[in-house]
Amino acid sequence: MGLDELGAFDPQQRIIEYVLESGNNSSRLINMKLSEFANETASESPAPGGGSISAYVGTLGISLATMVANLSASKRGWDERWNEFSAWAEKGQKLKRELLALVDEDTASFNKIMDSFSLPKGTEEEKTIRSQAIQEATKYATQVPFKVMQASYATLEVIRAMVEVGNPNSITDAGVGALCARTAILGAYLNVKINVSTLTDKEFVADILSKAGTIAKKAQQEEEEILKILENKLS
């Protein structure tokens, strides 16, 4: 999520955990109703932002592919392929859980930055500690969307398999999953790029931008190939 507008920040009004605090786990984004999540995203609160949304879109993409795997495993006449598709479904479930966790982790990483900005800065020592804390928190906030990119890219293997060999009545669902995966990856990539803009560790910045750029490029190529396979099957 963008970190370039941090002024006039009232944590009691802007940090999502405080806004939604109710004494239990209900404040977690992934425990919200769809309408609640959409409403919170649309509110003036800066979180959840693009990072959390990217993670959730990636979750939806792999969920669709996992659905196709489950439908394929139970397809009449495909009894001998149950183990094959069950293995794909299990892999999909694992990636789904990983991406769901990243929905909340992205917002948590943003709040860590806010905590760092609230540290005292009355003395030179306090300023140094505060600056270091901000840098470390920002590194963390950069690594989270990078994890989203990695996990979402991994989903493309499952998605491609379901387009290629899955239940033919459901391959368009896997195709939508490919669109979701690409969106998740490119969305998270935007967050990586904006978050590194204030980091002073240039070696870290160069490394993560290089790796993220490679994933983004490969993801777009993979999505294009998957959609071509899908179009050929449909025609």
Side-chain angles (χ1 to χ4, degrees):
M1 56 190 64
L3 304 175
D4 56 342
E5 296 183 2
L6 299 176
F9 191 88
D10 182 350
Q12 295 300 327
Q13 295 182 7
R14 303 298 295 278
I15 295 179
I16 191 170
E17 280 81 358
Y18 295 167
V19 175
L20 301 177
E21 186 175 15
S22 61
N24 54 39
N25 253 355
S26 63
S27 64
R28 295 182 65 203
L29 297 174
I30 62 173
N31 288 336
M32 288 182 175
K33 294 179 180 179
L34 287 176
S35 57
E36 292 172 342
F37 188 28
N39 290 337
E40 182 58 33
T41 302
S43 75
E44 65 177 7
S45 169
S52 289
I53 298 302
S54 294
Y56 190 58
V57 172
T59 303
L60 295 177
I62 190 57
S63 295
L64 282 168
T66 303
M67 178 192 74
V68 177
N70 284 319
L71 289 171
S72 301
S74 60
K75 179 175 170 57
R76 181 177 298 179
W78 285 19
D79 295 352
E80 73 284 357
R81 303 185 68 183
W82 186 88
N83 288 333
E84 172 192 352
F85 288 112
S86 292
W88 284 118
E90 184 177 349
K91 186 167 188 175
Q93 290 286 9
K94 181 179 179 182
L95 289 165
K96 184 197 73 177
R97 290 192 295 269
E98 183 178 349
L99 283 161
L100 272 179
L102 288 167
V103 173
D104 277 298
E105 189 173 351
D106 186 82
T107 293
S109 72
F110 179 79
N111 289 337
K112 283 183 181 292
I113 293 178
M114 295 299 97
D115 290 341
S116 301
F117 271 95
S118 68
L119 291 173
K121 51 183 178 178
T123 67
E124 288 303 316
E125 182 180 7
E126 288 177 341
K127 289 179 182 178
T128 299
I129 293 173
R130 177 177 179 272
S131 178
Q132 291 175 343
I134 292 171
Q135 287 292 307
E136 289 304 311
T138 305
K139 272 189 178 182
Y140 171 55
T142 303
Q143 290 166 331
V144 174
F146 182 68
K147 290 180 186 178
V148 173
M149 294 184 71
Q150 291 177 308
S152 297
Y153 184 76
T155 69
L156 287 168
E157 179 188 10
V158 183
I159 292 168
R160 183 180 186 126
M162 292 307 99
V163 169
E164 290 180 332
V165 301
N167 188 326
N169 295 321
S170 303
I171 58 173
T172 53
D173 295 306
V176 174
L179 298 174
C180 289
R182 175 184 177 275
T183 297
I185 291 164
L186 296 186
Y189 186 32
L190 292 177
N191 279 267
V192 169
K193 290 195 284 188
I194 194 170
N195 289 353
V196 300
S197 63
T198 59
L199 289 176
T200 57
D201 186 343
K202 300 309 177 184
E203 183 177 347
F204 171 86
V205 171
D207 182 60
I208 201 165
L209 283 179
S210 175
K211 291 176 179 176
T214 297
I215 292 174
K217 183 178 180 179
K218 290 169 66 177
Q220 292 179 84
Q221 294 172 341
E222 183 70 10
E223 181 224 27
E224 184 177 347
E225 290 179 13
I226 290 171
L227 293 181
K228 283 182 179 179
I229 294 169
L230 176 59
E231 288 295 337
N232 288 335
K233 284 182 172 288
L234 292 176
S235 61

